[in-house]
Amino acid sequence: QVYKGLDIITNKVSLQEQRLCRHHMISFVDPLVSNYTVVDFRDKAVPLISFHIFARDKIPIVVGGTNYYIESLLWKVLINTKEKPSTAPRPASDRKVELEQLDSAELHRRLSQVDPEMAARLHPHDRRKVARSLQVFEETGIPHSEILHQQQEEEGGGPLGGPLKYPHSCILWLHADQAALDARLEQRVDDMVAAGLLEELRDFHCRYNREKVAENRQDYQHGIFQSIGFKEFHEYLVSEGNCSPETSALLLEKGIQALKQVTKRYARRQNKWVRNRFLKRPGPNVPPVYGLEVSDLQRWEEAVLKPALEIVESFIQGREPPAEPLRMEHDEEENKRSHRVCELCARLIIGDREWAAHTRSKSHLHHLKKRRKLEASGRAGGTVGDSGDAETSDEGGSLPLP
């Protein structure tokens, strides 16, 4: 939402709603800026909180969205390797972008040489994180893992990073039953189409992306172009006017369905992030998380708004809130950095929980069933064959091996 444009796709708050409460950090970055980062976000947001909101005796409400950006405001977790953040369009000469052009294996090999601990934490195919760790070492001369250890060991630090910037804070987590959430997200996409989504996409494509596509330099991995909802309509936008109305209609419907699917997947990742990062992490530097059930919108006033106001009012007055914060059991023996190779699926899996999820996945069970059939037929014929050219599909926590 920091980028100008695509107001419908990014679900920006309306001008009417902005008049009811002052908003910040919306629509101020040029869409052509491709190397605006979470560090830039933090460096602008923290002074706003300190000198414009607290200074007026007001309370900042950080609305998610992207939980990683919220973490950047709560904890000392980021490493600034830029000299000066900028919102003006400029060539993407960022070192991280340059590193991301390298082969994944080569990137991971380089990181292993300078920071073996960080290399062991990251999946070899997670090119963006590997590139970032390499960038940190190149521009600071200190291994990324060492800087993270220094942050966590500071007074008040913990598993999530350094000390809390704002110790007197709380998190309100609005969550819903999965079926109710999925139905609501699908309806939201339909509402976006009715609100003028296609006109917004065409206009943005013509102004910012058509020339990039013509020169084969479109980039859906950085900046606003990676927003959920824009790249899903790539085929529709680039072919409109150059194909039959029937084909255009099919591509449009394909884009709409893709947007619905990727939105639901993103919502699942957001909820998983909250559970893993905020609820399962022990330590004194995690703010209390209060769950608000929003499945039934008919009960919004009594189930969401009223308890939320009571919680916030209690914090303001220094009282214990009437609601109990959420807590989740965590396995002290769980190894989040374990490395296992599933030879059947040709995948490297990092983490005990991810391995357990992989062995229960449809993809793995499909390959297992196929292998058993081949072995059974091999025994019947007097030979044992291999699994053949098994198909694979992406899933959380794992990626195909080279």
Side-chain angles (χ1 to χ4, degrees):
Q1 296 192 353
V2 300
Y3 294 95
K4 299 173 185 175
L6 293 183
D7 292 357
I8 297 175
I9 278 287
T10 56
N11 286 282
K12 288 175 183 168
V13 62
S14 68
L15 293 177
Q16 291 82 356
E17 290 172 308
Q18 289 188 44
R19 296 190 187 102
L20 300 176
C21 178
R22 187 171 179 181
H23 287 67
H24 303 270
M25 306 289 286
I26 296 177
S27 297
F28 67 96
V29 180
D30 189 287
L32 294 179
V33 171
S34 62
N35 56 351
Y36 184 86
T37 69
V38 65
V39 174
D40 298 323
F41 173 84
R42 178 207 61 189
D43 290 348
K44 184 174 178 64
V46 168
L48 276 172
I49 291 172
S50 299
F51 304 121
H52 293 273
I53 300 177
F54 282 149
R56 292 185 292 114
D57 202 24
K58 300 294 183 181
I59 297 174
I61 301 174
V62 182
V63 183
T66 308
N67 296 316
Y68 183 46
Y69 279 61
I70 295 177
E71 285 193 18
S72 76
L73 302 182
L74 286 174
W75 292 280
K76 182 179 179 181
V77 292
L78 300 179
I79 302 158
N80 191 357
T81 59
K82 286 186 176 182
E83 292 184 2
K84 292 182 180 179
S86 173
T87 58
R90 64 186 186 275
S93 57
D94 191 287
R95 177 57 177 159
K96 178 173 173 287
V97 176
E98 295 175 359
L99 288 168
E100 286 177 14
Q101 308 308 309
L102 296 175
D103 175 77
S104 296
E106 172 62 17
L107 265 180
H108 199 261
R109 184 190 66 79
R110 292 190 186 188
L111 183 61
S112 299
Q113 291 178 336
V114 299
D115 191 351
E117 180 181 341
M118 205 66 196
R121 293 188 192 184
L122 301 177
H123 198 288
H125 286 195
D126 197 341
R127 188 177 304 180
R128 298 181 72 171
K129 288 185 179 179
V130 174
R132 173 57 180 164
S133 288
L134 263 178
Q135 179 197 20
V136 168
F137 176 78
E138 289 183 1
E139 298 182 3
T140 67
I142 304 172
H144 193 181
S145 59
E146 183 178 330
I147 297 176
L148 295 180
H149 283 309
Q150 291 172 359
Q151 290 179 344
Q152 293 168 358
E153 291 169 1
E154 290 183 28
E155 184 178 355
L160 286 175
L164 275 170
K165 293 193 184 80
Y166 311 103
H168 194 60
S169 58
C170 70
I171 297 172
L172 302 180
W173 180 31
L174 278 64
H175 58 90
D177 173 77
Q178 195 62 58
L181 179 59
D182 286 348
R184 197 173 298 164
L185 292 174
E186 291 208 6
Q187 183 60 51
R188 188 175 80 175
V189 173
D190 293 335
D191 293 342
M192 290 163 63
V193 174
L197 173 64
L198 300 185
E199 290 77 10
E200 176 179 273
L201 289 171
R202 290 190 192 100
D203 177 67
F204 193 85
H205 177 69
C206 290
R207 286 194 292 154
Y208 298 109
N209 203 44
R210 176 179 286 170
E211 185 178 339
K212 291 174 176 285
V213 172
E215 298 175 0
N216 196 29
R217 58 184 181 90
Q218 70 271 15
D219 179 8
Y220 295 130
Q221 300 299 319
H222 298 91
I224 195 172
F225 297 98
Q226 66 183 316
S227 298
I228 289 177
F230 186 69
K231 54 185 175 294
E232 283 72 25
F233 289 91
H234 172 83
E235 288 184 85
Y236 170 73
L237 293 171
V238 300
S239 64
E240 193 175 26
N242 299 315
C243 63
S244 68
E246 293 78 14
T247 299
S248 186
L250 287 173
L251 291 175
L252 173 59
E253 181 60 24
K254 179 182 177 182
I256 291 174
Q257 294 306 315
L259 175 55
K260 290 180 178 181
Q261 290 301 318
V262 74
T263 301
K264 289 185 286 187
R265 284 201 299 269
Y266 183 63
R268 283 171 169 79
R269 289 201 303 272
Q270 286 179 310
N271 286 330
K272 183 179 179 182
W273 185 291
V274 172
R275 293 187 186 97
N276 290 340
R277 302 285 289 182
F278 295 153
L279 300 182
K280 292 186 177 180
R281 291 295 184 97
N285 69 334
V286 179
V289 179
Y290 296 92
L292 299 168
E293 169 63 51
V294 298
S295 297
D296 186 359
L297 295 182
Q298 300 297 322
R299 300 184 63 248
W300 178 268
E301 295 283 339
E302 59 181 291
V304 183
L305 182 58
K306 183 180 177 180
L309 291 175
E310 290 175 347
I311 291 168
V312 173
E313 187 176 12
S314 298
F315 264 82
I316 294 173
Q317 297 176 354
R319 297 185 285 106
E320 283 293 320
E324 284 291 321
L326 296 175
R327 290 182 175 85
M328 292 184 71
E329 295 294 328
H330 61 275
D331 186 355
E332 296 285 358
E333 297 182 0
E334 178 189 349
N335 185 353
K336 297 180 182 294
R337 305 300 176 191
S338 64
H339 286 59
R340 295 183 179 90
V341 173
C342 177
E343 297 181 356
L344 186 63
C345 302
R347 290 179 179 273
L348 169 65
I349 316 294
I350 298 180
D352 289 350
R353 187 183 299 122
E354 287 72 15
W355 173 255
H358 173 75
T359 57
R360 296 191 302 266
S361 68
K362 292 181 180 178
S363 168
H364 178 80
L365 294 176
H366 168 74
H367 296 155
L368 185 61
K369 183 178 180 181
K370 190 174 180 180
R371 166 68 66 86
R372 287 171 177 168
K373 282 184 177 179
L374 287 170
E375 289 177 346
S377 64
R379 285 192 296 270
T383 61
V384 178
D386 61 19
S387 61
D389 51 346
E391 296 178 0
T392 59
S393 61
D394 288 341
E395 56 188 84
S398 69
L399 285 170
L401 292 170

